[in-house]
Amino acid sequence: MNTRALIRSVATSLLAVLCVVSASAQNTYDRLSILEEFTSATCPPCVPVGVMLKDVIMPSKNVVSVRFHMNWPAPNDPFNLDNPTDNDSRRQYYAVQGIPDGYLNGKKVALSAAPTLINAINADNAKKSPIKITVTEAKTTDGGNVTIKINTNVDLKAHKLHVAVVSYHTEIPDLAQTLANSNGETEFDDAMNKMLPNGGGTTLSMNGQEEKTFSFTYTRKNGVCWPEGMQYIVAYVQNTSTKEVLNAGTNLVVFEPVVEVEGEKWSYIGRSASKTQTIKVTNPTTSELPVGFSIKNAEALASAGWSVSMDKDVISLKPGTSTTVTVTTTSGARAFFGGIEFAATPQNVAGISKEGKAQFGYLTEGAKIVVWSGISEGNVGNYIPALETTYGQEVVFVPAAEEILQAYNPTSFDVGIFSLSIDGRFAIPGIAQLAEMMSKAGKGVFVSAPMGLGVATYPDNQSSPGYPEANAWLTRTLGLNLTGSTQRYTGNTLTPFAVTGVAGDEVGMGGSWNCNRPTNNWPFYVQITDIMSIKNGSNSIGWAYTENNKNNIVGIRCANPGVGRVVFSSFGVEHSNDANARKSLMERIIKYLMPSADRPEMTLNVNSIDFGFVKVDEKKELAFVITNSGKADLIIDETDLAGADATEFDITDGRADMNNKITVAPNGKHTIKAQFWPGSAKAAFSASITIKSNAGDKTVQLRGSSLTTSVETDVVSETGAIGMSLAGSNPITSSTAIRVRANENVTMSVVNAAGETVATIFNGAVSGMETVSLGSLNLAAGTYNVVASNGADRAVLSIVVVR
């Protein structure tokens, strides 16, 4: 590098350093951030944002807010009606097109989650400001005289001063009933009442190192939007070209104790055990502050068998001092998640006061089933029926909040339940991630999401984080296709509909759920349901459908090898107002999802019994064996004999009914004997025995004949993948052969009437058609089954041998 270039480089570096030093020297004042939020009492998505902001916006966290109310999506928001001009002025300034919308220090900010907003506030507050704003107000009988003093280290020639009269907290108890299209809100924080002098602000002309004072007055209106004693002032200086807010100031003094949890916030607790937690309470004000302590949800905890006590209930704190409160919690005997809501409430203070709050809590050890709550309105629908099942003592309801998910690993539970309503449909990326995490750990998962499949697979969503993964889980892992969506709610009109369970399915079990018939006691309904189909080769099985059309699948179950089971539905258990139906369905879902370590399994040694030829009015008895190959007791509720010729058969031993349920221990066996007693001459009799149990239903087919001929010479498997036909007559002769039709590896065996394999006559690949001879078997007289199987599917052909 030559000398000139070197000097230029050094000079540039020195200039950069000087600029940094200069800027640092100018930014000498503490920063107060301001959030301008645009909202409405008719905007449903604005509700969760308002709830979130309650724990974020406060002067003690160096942030205040001014909330501007819009006249849309529906008209007649009371704050907009009270002052449409100033509200609209700020909307136009930021060119707001949709709500909720927010601007932190003049820059657009996401209002999706508290941690995101808090991080943005902290980042802004880490910077000092070149100006200081001091706000004072002299209250009058009908308003106030406001003084704003600005001290600046920089020129303020392209800036405006904005001053807002704000109501700290407003309650309009009957608004949800009187406002058409209300979003349900009746309490509002930091609503803008008036901009001083107006929404355009005051143009500044100040030099660096100058101090200037500005005066304003306002008159308080008499109306619900101006609650008495709740008005305060927010002032902020904003760059007219960049919209950057240099700093804000306020005269807001809130008598709010600062509450901090000193110990581990979320931990485990034994059943019927006690733990203590220490809470630190500080008076951040310059006045003495009497404070009362309480547990806000003590009654709810008591109803679950928990008790909470404190070592003090009221104390007066000197300015800037702290005290500690010891909270002792004793758990109940059943599984439970206890979130303790501690509150420190100012007592008899003059001015605006606010409770200081903190949450901590415990999860009982060994809980097996978790309902992840707080995702959307629908979760409560699973709450009640889950409690009423035989698993009720092991169900806990845990908020799906980030810090709680970190404290309690989702894979520590055996079954996870996620219930999304329409309002929670965009949570499907996170839910899919948690569900897949639990499933990969071998745990069962139930996700009910009316629009989950539609939202996860929507093409425009694939560029957003989490959506491609949710799409892959639903379409690849579970093998689902979205075939359409059915509207269930138009305008203000619900469309009732029925969901039918697939007969014989261990989850659907032929049940029926009448949906969209809400009552005052059970107000849940669904606006739209996704209709699904299952891809070829998927391990998913449909268990529920709508409109009496088995192709309109709205519920599937999936048992992929090596992972936990999954149940997915586009309607929720809560959408039926029949308590017994909800309970029964939830019971079956949980049974299906329980890991094998906690689940019974029913295995049969045969799927069919062929009694062969039996003379009219003679009897023949054969048996089959049920084995419990699971790890929990198998309870056989009923053995049901049915079918066209059920009267020709009977269960002679091992029958179960409502008065005689049979329990089979793990690895235990139970034998059922069946009898064939034909009363007339007929070529083929058929019936079935259905075994109903807590591991689902299974069926054994019964066959027999009282003639020496059979018409069964051509059969196919259930899926149609395998077919067999006799090349000769039935009864067979020594030259008889069987033609098998398939396009895969097939094993063919001959099984006698006792269920014993007599011979394997073929084992290999079939491509189209293969002919297998029976001539060399020398079978004894009787009835046999030829079974062709590919491992997952089978076809059974009955043959008769006469000697």
Side-chain angles (χ1 to χ4, degrees), residues 264-269 275 277 337-338 360-364 407-408:
E264 188 178 7
K265 195 171 183 181
W266 306 105
S267 60
Y268 288 93
I269 191 171
K275 271 194 168 185
Q277 179 65 272
F337 171 76
F360 65 94
Y362 308 99
L363 174 65
T364 51
Y408 308 115

Side-chain angles (χ1 to χ4, degrees), residues 710-734:
S710 173
V711 296
E712 187 177 50
T713 60
D714 197 328
V715 296
V716 294
S717 65
E718 184 177 348
T719 67
I722 305 172
M724 288 192 294
S725 61
L726 279 177
S729 61
N730 201 2
I732 69 171
T733 65
S734 59

Side-chain angles (χ1 to χ4, degrees), residues 430-450:
I431 298 312
Q433 180 182 350
L434 284 173
E436 189 167 27
M437 178 197 302
M438 292 189 69
S439 178
K440 284 182 176 178
K443 307 307 175 71
V445 172
F446 171 40
V447 178
S448 67

Side-chain angles (χ1 to χ4, degrees), residues 168 253-259 281-285 287-294 296 313-317 342-357:
Y168 181 74
V253 176
V254 180
F255 290 92
E256 178 185 5
V258 176
V259 180
V281 182
T282 303
N283 174 10
T285 73
S287 303
E288 187 163 339
L289 183 61
V291 183
F293 308 118
S294 63
K296 302 292 285 186
D313 55 10
V314 66
I315 195 170
S316 187
L317 291 171
F342 177 90
T345 307
Q347 307 287 302
N348 303 316
V349 296
I352 297 173
S353 65
K354 185 178 181 180
E355 284 184 336
K357 297 179 181 178

Side-chain angles (χ1 to χ4, degrees), residues 1 43 58 75 77 80 199 291 440 482 753:
M1 180 182 293
C43 163
M58 56 190 72
D77 175 290
N80 187 277
V291 183
K440 284 182 176 178
L482 176 69

